[in-house]
Amino acid sequence: LCQLGLVGCVDFLYLPVDFRRGTNLGYFFVNFTSTAACEEFAFAVHGRKFATGSSKKTLHVAASRLQGLAALVENFRAAPVMEGSVPAEFKPLVLDCNGLPLPQAWAQA
């Protein structure tokens, strides 16, 4: 996102992890604040090979059934990953317009 200049265009990030194997599940959630930013990201990365490691996998961009920051926060707020025993680095992030975490976004309204 940084290399594409899209840091301020994202308000949600989450990379699910398999804690038993210590690896990610091979997909992630990202919510863009504009359609243009989403299209720019998809154009830049869809179909590209991973830049690191020996993996032969390619990146695939697809729409989620969950759309928008409010829907993502509501969905993940009660998810097991949000429990206190899960380290913060494995939890979804809500970001401000500078790409900084907004932990207060998880507070119940």
Side-chain angles (χ1 to χ4, degrees), residues 94 101-107:
V94 174
L102 288 171
Q104 66 271 27
W106 296 104

Side-chain angles (χ1 to χ4, degrees), residues 8-88:
C9 301
V10 171
D11 58 12
F12 183 92
L13 286 172
Y14 175 49
L15 177 67
V17 172
D18 179 334
F19 295 106
R20 283 178 278 179
R21 288 191 276 169
T23 60
N24 70 64
L25 298 181
Y27 60 93
F28 69 97
F29 295 87
V30 58
N31 190 68
F32 292 93
T33 57
S34 73
T35 302
C38 181
E39 290 171 348
E40 185 176 342
F41 176 80
F43 180 77
V45 304
H46 187 79
R48 305 243 175 173
K49 293 190 184 296
F50 283 93
T52 59
S54 60
S55 175
K56 296 189 186 315
K57 294 180 181 180
T58 58
L59 294 164
H60 177 79
V61 178
S64 170
R65 66 176 175 79
L66 297 169
Q67 291 294 310
L69 178 60
L72 289 161
V73 168
E74 186 61 30
N75 181 75
F76 286 102
R77 181 178 278 135
V81 72
M82 297 306 291
E83 294 176 6
S85 61
V86 177

